[in-house]
C-alpha cells in the first residue's frame, strides 16, 4: 500500500519535495498549486546559489553545495534546464568578521573541488568589476565557478521529473480546507469541490503559510520581509562578465542588459514595519509596489559602493514577500498537528536550501528517519522561544 | 494667457498634464456597471504621456544655455496619481501638482479639461503645455484640444518634435499628418498633444528618483474653483458601457523537447515565409 502525500504549493519547495518523494516507489504524491508551477515567490527569486556568501551560515555549507550540485546535474542532463548563468561571484568584505566568513567559505569550496580566492589587491577587485568603489572594501572573495539559476525553470524541471515518476500535479486549483480529526490532518478540499484523503499533508506555501496553517488553527510563525528588487539599466555598455555581487546589505546580478539588485534578506529587521510584517501575498502587484525608503537605501549604497549604477535607469521594479522566521532559518517537518508537516520559511534561500531539505524530508516522511537538518530546523525550536 | 516675449532672457515655462491609468494588461471591464475597473487595477503613467515628457525634456535641454526652462507637471485623479507625478519628477519635472477632489470624480472629458484649464491658468503662464495624445484607458483624445480651447490658445495634435524658433515666443512644431510630416511655426502659448512612440522616453535614474522622492507634491482641490466653475463640471456625456473586445489572435503552445520545439519553430517560420 502506497503512502499518500499531498503537497500544497508548487514553488521550489513543493516541487523539490514532490520530486524527492517520487523517488520512493511506495510514495503516491500530489501537488496542489493555485496558479502555475513556480510562478509565485519562486519566480521573483534571484536564484543565486553562490559557493560562499553570507546568505546561509557556513554551518550549513553542505546544504548550499548540495543545492548547487543538484542544479548543475540538471544542467548536465539538459543544458539550460536550470537557467544557469555562470557569472562567478564577488563577495565583498567590509569587516574582519566578513573576511573570516568568506575565507571559510572559500576553503570549503576548494575542499569540494571548486576554485576560490580571497583578493585584497583593490586593483584586481576593480578589474573584475570596474564600476565598483573599493574604498570601503577590505577584500573580496571571488570564484568563477558559480552564478545564478532560474527558480521557475528548476521548479518546472522538478515537476516534470516528479510526474515522470508517477506523481500528480493539480494546477489552477486552490486548497480551501485542510480537514483534521482528533488532531490529525486527514484530507484537503479544493475550490473545485473535491476532497482527497492523504496520509501526510505538507505545507510548501512559503509566504502563504500563515493562511495555510490557519485552515487548521495552526499559527505558523512566519513574517513577511519585503524583497524589493530593482532592474537598473546601466548608462555604460557592460562589455565584461558582471559577476553576482554580494555586499552584506545587498546583492546584484546581471539580468540581460539590466542589473537586478535587491536588499539581502539577512539585513531585514523583523521588528521594523518598513522591512517586515504579516501581509497578504495575494495582494502583491505584478510590478512596482516598492517603497521610497528602498530607493534611498539603494542610492546610498550605490553612491558609496557601486557609483557606476547611480545614474543607471530604473527600468522596472517589483516587490515580493520572503517568508522568514525569527532566526532566518526554515521550518521543516512535524507540527503539533499529526500528519501535517511544514517545508516553509526559506526566506531568501529557497533555491539554495530546497534540494537538501527535500531530500531529508522525503526520507523522514517515507522512512521515519530524521536527519541533523530536520532536527535543527524543526518547528519545535520556535516553540521553545 | 500672457506671452513671454523675451526668449533667452526669461526661462521657458513648460507644463505637462499626465493621467494615471490602468496598465494595458490589467484593464478589466465590470460587467455589471459596464465601466472599467480602476480601483483594483495596477496603474502607471499613461504611455504617451511619457513621450510628451520626453519631448518637454528635450525642449528644456535645448534651451539650457539660453535661459533654461522649468517643467510643471499636473495630474487630475485620486492619490494613486501621485505615482505618475513622481515619475514626472524623476524624469526631470521641477514641480508637480495633484488635482484631486471628490467633486472632480464624475468629470467627463470636458469637465476634466475645465479643471486642468483652471489650474494651468492659476499656475501659468506657460509657453507650451504638453499632453499625451490620448489615454490608454479612455482613448478619447479630447482633453488636450478641449483644454486648449478653454485656455484660448492654439492646439497642435500629433506632434513629433518641437523646438524654439528664431524669434522669441515662436516654436517650430513638426506634426504627423496622413501624408507625412507638416512643419508649423506656432506662437506661444500653445497646447501640444504627443502620440505614442514618437520618441524613446528615457528611464528615470536612481539619482533622479531619489531627488523626486524629496519633492513635495501639493494637492489642489475643488475649493480653489468658484461655484460657477464647479457647476460647469457636471458631466454632459456619460459612459453607459464599455465592452472588452476578445482577441482574434490564435496562440499555439509548442511542446516537446528542445529539438522538437526547434523543428516546429522552423516549420512555422518557413511556412510564414511562403505566405510573404
Amino acid at each position: 500500500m502506497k503512502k499518500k502525500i499531498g503537497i500544497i504549493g508548487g514553488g521550489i519547495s513543493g516541487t523539490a519535495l514532490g520530486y524527492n518523494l517520487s523517488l520512493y516507489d511506495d510514495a503516491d504524491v500530489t501537488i496542489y498549486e493555485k496558479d502555475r508551477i513556480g510562478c509565485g515567490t519562486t519566480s521573483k527569486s534571484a536564484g543565486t546559489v553562490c559557493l560562499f556568501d553570507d546568505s546561509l551560515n557556513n554551518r550549513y555549507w553542505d546544504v548550499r553545495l548540495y543545492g548547487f550540485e543538484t542544479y548543475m546535474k540538471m544542467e548536465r542532463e539538459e543544458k539550460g534546464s536550470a537557467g544557469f548563468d555562470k557569472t562567478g561571484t564577488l563577495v565583498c568584505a567590509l569587516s574582519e568578521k566578513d573576511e573570516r566568513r568568506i575565507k571559510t567559505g572559500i576553503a570549503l569550496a576548494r575542499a569540494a573541488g571548486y576554485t576560490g580566492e580571497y583578493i585584497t589587491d583593490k586593483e584586481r577587485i576593480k578589474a573584475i568589476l570596474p564600476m565598483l568603489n573599493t574604498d570601503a572594501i577590505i577584500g573580496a572573495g571571488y570564484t568563477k565557478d558559480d552564478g545564478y539559476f532560474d527558480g521557475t525553470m528548476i521548479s518546472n524541471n522538478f515537476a516534470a521529473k516528479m510526474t515522470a515518476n508517477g506523481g500528480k500535479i493539480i494546477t489552477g486549483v486552490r486548497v480551501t480546507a485542510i480537514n483534521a480529526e482528533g488532531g490529525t490532518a486527514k484530507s484537503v478540499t479544493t475550490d473545485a469541490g473535491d476532497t482527497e484523503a492523504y496520509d501526510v499533508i505538507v505545507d510548501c506555501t512559503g509566504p502563504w503559510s500563515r493562511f495555510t496553517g490557519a485552515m487548521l488553527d495552526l499559527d505558523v510563525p512566519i513574517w513577511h520581509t519585503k524583497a524589493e528588487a530593482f532592474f537598473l539599466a546601466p548608462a555604460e555598455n557592460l562589455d565584461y562578465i558582471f559577476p553576482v555581487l554580494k555586499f552584506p546589505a545587498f546583492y546584484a546580478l546581471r539580468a540581460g542588459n539590466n542589473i537586478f539588485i535587491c536588499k539581502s534578506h539577512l539585513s531585514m529587521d523583523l521588528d521594523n514595519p518598513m522591512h517586515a510584517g504579516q501581509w497578504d501575498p495575494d495582494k502583491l502587484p505584478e510590478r512596482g509596489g516598492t517603497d521610497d525608503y528602498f530607493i534611498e537605501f539603494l542610492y546610498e549604497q550605490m553612491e558609496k559602493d557601486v557609483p557606476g549604477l547611480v545614474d543607471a535607469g530604473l527600468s522596472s521594479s517589483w516587490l515580493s514577500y520572503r517568508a522568514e522566521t525569527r532566526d532566518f532559518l526554515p521550518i521543516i517537518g512535524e507540527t503539533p498537528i499529526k500528519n501535517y508537516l511544514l517545508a516553509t520559511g526559506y526566506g531568501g534561500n529557497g533555491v539554495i536550501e530546497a534540494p537538501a531539505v527535500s531530500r531529508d524530508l522525503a526520507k523522514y516522511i517515507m522512512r521515519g528517519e530524521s536527519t541533523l537538518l530536520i532536527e535543527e530546523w524543526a518547528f519545535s525550536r520556535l516553540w521553545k522561544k | 494667457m500672457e506671452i513671454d516675449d523675451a526668449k533667452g532672457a526669461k526661462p521657458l515655462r513648460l507644463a505637462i498634464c499626465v493621467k494615471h491609468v490602468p496598465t494595458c494588461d490589467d484593464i478589466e471591464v465590470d460587467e455589471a456597471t459596464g465601466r472599467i475597473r480602476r480601483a483594483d487595477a495596477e496603474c502607471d503613467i499613461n504611455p504617451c504621456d511619457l513621450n510628451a515628457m520626453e519631448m518637454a525634456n528635450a525642449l528644456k535641454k535645448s534651451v539650457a544655455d539660453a535661459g533654461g526652462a522649468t517643467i510643471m507637471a499636473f495630474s487630475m485623479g485620486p492619490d494613486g496619481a501621485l505615482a505618475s507625478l513622481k515619475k514626472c519628477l524623476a524624469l526631470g519635472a521641477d514641480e508637480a501638482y495633484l488635482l484631486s477632489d471628490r467633486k472632480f470624480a464624475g468629470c467627463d472629458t470636458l469637465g476634466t479639461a475645465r479643471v486642468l484649464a483652471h489650474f494651468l491658468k492659476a499656475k501659468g503662464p506657460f509657453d507650451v503645455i504638453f499632453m499625451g495624445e490620448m489615454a490608454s484607458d479612455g482613448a478619447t483624445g479630447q482633453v488636450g484640444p478641449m483644454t486648449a480651447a478653454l485656455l484660448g490658445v492654439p492646439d497642435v495634435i500629433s506632434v513629433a518634435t518641437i523646438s524654439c524658433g528664431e524669434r522669441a515666443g515662436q516654436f517650430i512644431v513638426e506634426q504627423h499628418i496622413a501624408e507625412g510630416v507638416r512643419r508649423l511655426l506656432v506662437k506661444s502659448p500653445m497646447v501640444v498633444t504627443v502620440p505614442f512612440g514618437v520618441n524613446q522616453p528615457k528611464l528615470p535614474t536612481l539619482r533622479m528618483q531619489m531627488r523626486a522622492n524629496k519633492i513635495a507634491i501639493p494637492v489642489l482641490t475643488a475649493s480653489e474653483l468658484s461655484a460657477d466653475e464647479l457647476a460647469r463640471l457636471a458631466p454632459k456625456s456619460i459612459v453607459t458601457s464599455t465592452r472588452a473586445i476578445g482577441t482574434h489572435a490564435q496562440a499555439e503552445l509548442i511542446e516537446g523537447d528542445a529539438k522538437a520545439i526547434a523543428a516546429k519553430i522552423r516549420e512555422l517560420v518557413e511556412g510564414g515565409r511562403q505566405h510573404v
Side-chain angles (χ1 to χ4, degrees):
Chain A
M1 179 109 174
K2 289 193 173 187
K3 186 176 242 183
K4 280 188 73 179
I5 304 114
I7 295 171
I8 308 170
I12 190 86
S13 172
T15 56
L17 179 61
Y19 165 65
N20 278 277
L21 284 164
S22 75
L23 298 172
Y24 292 81
D25 58 8
D26 51 345
D28 176 358
V29 195
T30 301
I31 292 177
Y32 293 89
E33 165 54 47
K34 65 183 171 61
D35 199 333
R36 288 164 287 128
I37 293 296
C39 81
T41 311
T42 297
S43 69
K44 290 183 172 174
S45 161
T48 54
V49 186
C50 302
L51 289 166
F52 45 86
D53 63 25
D54 67 349
S55 57
L56 179 64
N57 192 304
N58 280 331
R59 175 179 177 82
Y60 303 111
W61 192 81
D62 285 346
V63 171
R64 177 191 298 281
L65 178 67
Y66 188 78
F68 181 75
E69 296 201 330
T70 297
Y71 304 139
M72 292 309 289
K73 275 179 207 153
M74 276 187 186
E75 287 280 325
R76 283 196 292 277
E77 286 167 8
E78 187 177 349
K79 190 169 169 52
S81 64
F84 182 49
D85 196 350
K86 190 178 175 183
T87 59
T89 300
L90 188 69
V91 189
C92 297
L94 304 180
S95 67
E96 288 183 6
K97 188 180 168 194
D98 297 338
E99 188 176 67
R100 275 196 304 277
R101 188 196 63 246
I102 293 167
K103 284 181 173 177
T104 305
I106 290 171
L108 293 166
R110 291 177 69 178
Y114 296 97
T115 66
E117 61 175 325
Y118 187 75
I119 307 168
T120 51
D121 177 348
K122 294 193 176 182
E123 288 308 310
R124 277 198 64 209
I125 295 170
K126 273 190 82 74
I128 295 166
L129 189 48
M131 63 170 67
L132 212 57
N133 175 14
T134 54
D135 289 352
I137 298 170
I138 61 170
Y142 178 61
T143 178
K144 290 180 179 176
D145 293 338
D146 59 13
Y148 62 94
F149 297 87
D150 184 311
T152 299
M153 292 175 74
I154 291 167
S155 299
N156 280 278
N157 204 323
F158 275 137
K161 286 169 178 279
M162 185 193 103
T163 51
N165 291 342
K168 188 177 169 189
I169 294 174
I170 301 171
T171 56
V173 169
R174 188 183 284 265
V175 170
T176 53
I178 304 167
N179 310 300
E181 289 171 27
T184 302
K186 295 280 188 183
S187 61
V188 301
T189 301
T190 70
D191 58 4
D194 302 320
T195 295
E196 190 72 28
Y198 289 102
D199 299 307
V200 175
I201 297 165
V202 190
D203 168 16
C204 295
T205 60
W208 284 267
S209 283
R210 269 193 179 269
F211 297 91
T212 312
M215 289 191 246
L216 288 164
D217 291 327
L218 178 68
D219 183 13
V220 180
I222 292 289
W223 278 258
H224 295 125
T225 60
K226 291 181 178 178
E228 308 201 46
F230 277 95
F231 290 83
L232 304 177
E236 60 181 88
N237 282 332
L238 298 178
D239 54 359
Y240 53 89
I241 295 172
F242 189 102
V244 173
L245 173 65
K246 296 252 179 177
F247 271 81
F250 70 91
Y251 59 96
L253 56 90
R254 185 171 183 164
N257 290 325
N258 291 330
I259 302 298
F260 171 102
I261 191 157
C262 192
K263 207 167 188 290
S264 66
H265 79 125
L266 291 178
S267 67
M268 304 306 277
D269 176 359
L270 295 190
D271 297 317
N272 181 344
M274 291 304 291
H275 290 194
Q278 289 170 336
W279 300 297
D280 183 355
D282 280 332
K283 291 186 178 164
L284 279 170
E286 286 286 317
R287 294 173 295 276
T290 51
D291 295 301
D292 288 349
Y293 97 89
F294 186 72
I295 290 280
E296 289 174 28
F297 160 81
L298 203 55
Y299 180 79
E300 285 166 13
Q301 295 289 326
M302 295 305 104
E303 196 175 39
K304 182 166 64 78
D305 298 321
V306 200
L309 288 178
V310 168
D311 289 307
L314 289 170
S315 57
S316 68
S317 64
W318 68 41
L319 168 66
S320 67
Y321 295 149
R322 302 178 179 116
E324 298 278 16
T325 61
R326 279 272 157 200
D327 61 8
F328 291 84
L329 292 169
I331 314 174
I332 307 302
E334 301 283 0
T335 70
I337 296 157
K338 197 176 173 196
N339 294 344
Y340 184 68
L341 276 59
L342 299 177
T344 192
Y346 286 114
N349 287 345
V351 177
I352 297 170
E353 295 164 0
V357 165
S358 301
R359 173 199 61 194
D360 286 14
L361 187 57
K363 184 165 71 118
Y364 179 75
I365 290 169
M366 296 310 298
R367 300 290 180 260
E369 295 173 14
S370 189
T371 66
L372 284 174
L373 210 52
I374 298 275
E375 286 166 17
E376 294 207 2
W377 291 354
F379 195 173
S380 56
R381 79 181 192 277
L382 299 166
W383 303 341
K384 287 168 193 163
K385 287 177 185 173
Chain B
M1 295 175 81
E2 296 170 21
I3 298 172
D4 287 332
D5 58 0
K7 185 205 142 194
K10 289 172 77 175
L12 286 181
R13 287 175 55 84
L14 310 177
I16 179 163
C17 301
V18 300
K19 188 175 182 187
H20 196 59
V21 296
T23 52
C24 286
D25 52 358
D26 204 29
I27 292 179
E28 289 183 22
V29 176
D30 187 323
E31 289 181 12
T33 64
R35 296 193 173 186
I36 293 173
R37 279 199 193 111
R38 286 189 169 85
D40 300 329
E42 284 180 36
C43 293
D44 203 347
I45 189 169
N46 180 44
C48 62
D49 295 351
L50 287 172
N51 295 105
M53 186 68 215
E54 179 68 21
M55 200 174 285
N57 265 334
L59 183 59
K60 180 180 179 180
K61 193 175 174 188
S62 74
V63 296
D65 298 326
T70 57
I71 301 175
M72 214 178 275
F74 298 85
S75 186
M76 183 176 125
D79 287 352
L82 286 167
S84 286
L85 287 170
K86 197 170 274 187
K87 189 167 269 187
C88 290
L89 291 168
L91 287 165
D94 301 281
E95 295 173 43
Y97 295 91
L98 177 67
L99 318 181
S100 189
D101 198 296
R102 289 184 68 83
K103 289 174 181 165
F104 300 159
C107 283
D108 60 4
T109 50
L110 182 56
T112 302
R114 287 189 193 281
V115 173
L116 289 174
H118 172 93
F119 287 107
L120 287 164
K121 268 185 194 165
K123 294 291 177 186
F126 295 106
D127 296 282
V128 185
I129 297 162
F130 293 85
M131 293 196 190
E133 191 149 87
M134 61 174 66
S136 62
D137 55 351
T140 64
Q142 295 170 356
V143 173
M146 284 175 170
T147 306
L150 290 164
L151 291 171
V153 304
D155 164 48
V156 189
I157 63 167
S158 294
V159 171
T161 64
I162 183 168
S163 54
C164 290
E166 289 294 317
R167 297 178 55 190
Q170 283 187 343
F171 292 85
I172 299 162
V173 182
E174 289 193 331
Q175 178 190 41
H176 280 304
I177 56 173
E179 298 79 12
V181 175
R182 175 161 55 199
R183 176 176 280 213
L184 305 166
L185 193 61
V186 186
K187 202 170 177 183
S188 68
M190 75 185 90
V191 170
V192 297
T193 60
V194 181
F196 179 73
V198 292
N199 52 35
Q200 178 65 48
K202 291 183 186 63
L203 295 167
T205 66
L206 198 53
R207 190 190 301 275
M208 289 297 281
Q209 188 68 54
M210 180 72 181
R211 166 188 171 273
N213 288 352
K214 291 182 173 171
I215 299 176
I217 301 176
V219 180
L220 307 178
T221 67
S223 65
E224 301 193 28
L225 273 67
S226 68
D228 188 41
E229 283 176 306
L230 284 172
R232 287 184 189 168
L233 297 184
K236 299 205 166 17
S237 61
I238 297 169
V239 176
T240 54
S241 71
T242 309
R243 185 164 48 89
I245 300 172
T247 177
H248 298 291
Q250 297 287 315
E252 183 183 350
L253 181 65
I254 302 173
E255 291 182 290
D257 60 19
K259 280 186 181 172
I261 291 170
K264 181 66 179 173
I265 291 171
R266 182 174 179 171
E267 180 191 319
L268 289 169
V269 170
E270 290 185 346
R273 276 191 195 140
Q274 287 165 13
H275 288 102
V276 174

